[in-house]
């Protein structure tokens, strides 16, 4: 089964463009915080992360509790593979806005990179709670549930109750397919997990 530990093409696209508002548009506003965030988005889109970072930092200087600026800075650090800094700014964004969908999703990506699947699961569940139609989060929820099962399987600590992880994974794959029947790898991954579940259930029945 294909794994999502690492970053899929869909996830990279979501991460790189989640920070951008209307691509090449700079919003003119009397509010300097909005203006600085807009300029940061603009320069990020142009590929000038240094300039973008400068404007996001200016936004935070004026409004230290600005969730968008914190998240946007986190994205820049994530792209630069500075996970510790990215995690800090994503945590700040969530602190400032507990229902900030993109911040929870971005935090989940960092935690997946750190192999902290349990906490990644918590943030992905929050994303799904905020927006059940976030297909990338639904896909990642499926994969993380299955990876948690495999983690227990490899460690020889598998219990029959852990089959619930596979069931949850299948449920999330089904949700993905309901949202987008052509989502890459969703159908093939689901079918493999269904077969694994069937094999384990047969083993339990034979015991």
């Amino acid at each position: 089964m294909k794994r999502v530990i690492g970053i899929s093409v869909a996830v990279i696209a979501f991460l790189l463009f989640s920070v951008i508002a209307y691509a090449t548009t700079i919003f003119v506003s009397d509010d300097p915080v909005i203006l600085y965030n807009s300029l940061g988005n603009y320069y990020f889109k142009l590929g000038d992360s240094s300039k973008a970072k400068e404007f996001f930092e200016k936004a935070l200087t004026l409004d230290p509790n600005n969730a968008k600026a914190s998240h946007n800075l986190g994205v820049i650090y994530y792209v630069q593979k500075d996970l510790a800094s990215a995690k800090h700014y994503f945590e700040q964004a969530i602190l400032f806005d507990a229902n900030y969908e993109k911040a929870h999703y971005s935090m989940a990506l960092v935690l997946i990179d750190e192999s902290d699947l349990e906490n990644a699961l918590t943030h992905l569940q929050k994303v799904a709670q905020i927006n059940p139609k976030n297909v990338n989060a639904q896909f990642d929820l499926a994969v993380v549930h299955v990876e948690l099962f495999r983690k227990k399987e490899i460690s020889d600590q598998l219990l029959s109750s852990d089959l619930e992880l596979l069931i949850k994974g299948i449920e999330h794959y089904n949700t993905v397919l309901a949202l987008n029947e052509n989502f890459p790898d969703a159908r093939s991954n689901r079918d493999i997990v269904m077969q694994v579940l069937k094999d384990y259930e047969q083993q339990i029945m034979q015991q």
Side-chain angles (χ1 to χ4, degrees):
M1 183 177 65
K2 297 181 179 178
R3 301 173 64 187
V4 82
I5 305 305
I7 309 177
S8 68
V9 173
V11 168
I12 290 173
F14 178 90
L15 180 66
L16 291 180
F17 292 104
S18 65
V19 71
I20 304 305
Y22 296 104
T24 58
T25 301
I26 296 178
F27 292 106
V28 178
S29 172
D30 292 334
D31 186 335
V33 175
I34 294 175
L35 181 58
Y36 283 144
N37 267 323
S38 179
L39 285 166
N41 290 338
Y42 175 75
Y43 282 105
F44 185 86
K45 176 62 176 177
L46 292 180
D48 191 342
S49 294
S50 178
K51 197 72 174 178
K53 180 172 176 283
E54 177 185 333
F55 282 112
F56 294 142
E57 287 174 340
K58 286 182 177 180
L60 273 182
T61 298
L62 292 178
D63 181 5
N65 296 333
N66 190 279
K68 287 185 178 179
S70 291
H71 174 259
N72 293 347
L73 273 172
V75 170
I76 289 176
Y77 282 114
Y78 185 88
V79 171
Q80 295 173 344
K81 301 187 185 302
D82 183 348
L83 298 187
S85 295
K87 190 173 181 180
H88 167 74
Y89 282 106
F90 294 150
E91 286 174 341
Q92 290 297 105
I94 292 168
L95 179 64
F96 303 148
D97 183 355
N99 292 315
Y100 195 175
E101 177 186 346
K102 291 177 182 177
H104 281 286
Y105 187 74
S106 297
M107 177 62 83
L109 294 182
V110 173
L111 292 167
I112 287 172
D113 278 356
E114 294 179 341
S115 298
D116 186 352
L117 300 182
E118 290 82 1
N119 284 317
L121 182 64
T122 299
H123 287 281
L124 289 171
Q125 288 170 334
K126 182 64 175 180
V127 174
Q129 177 188 334
I130 297 167
N131 179 13
K133 293 184 178 181
N134 187 322
V135 69
N136 287 317
Q138 293 288 351
F139 182 85
D140 291 346
L141 274 166
V143 175
V144 169
H145 274 100
V146 175
E147 289 300 319
L148 286 169
F149 176 87
R150 291 184 60 182
K151 185 177 177 181
K152 289 176 176 289
E153 184 181 41
I154 291 169
S155 66
D156 290 327
Q157 296 178 348
L158 197 62
L159 303 173
S160 59
S161 59
D162 292 325
L163 294 180
E164 183 66 23
L165 291 168
L166 295 181
I167 294 170
K168 287 287 187 182
I170 292 168
E171 289 175 356
H172 285 292
Y173 279 130
N174 285 333
T175 300
V176 171
L177 292 169
L179 293 169
N180 179 359
E181 63 181 10
N182 296 315
F183 194 91
D185 301 328
R187 191 175 304 278
S188 59
N189 281 10
R190 183 202 61 182
D191 292 347
I192 292 171
V193 177
M194 289 176 68
Q195 184 59 54
V196 172
L197 177 62
K198 182 180 178 180
D199 291 345
Y200 269 103
E201 286 176 336
Q202 289 178 344
Q203 289 179 29
I204 291 171
M205 290 178 62
Q206 292 171 1
Q207 289 176 357

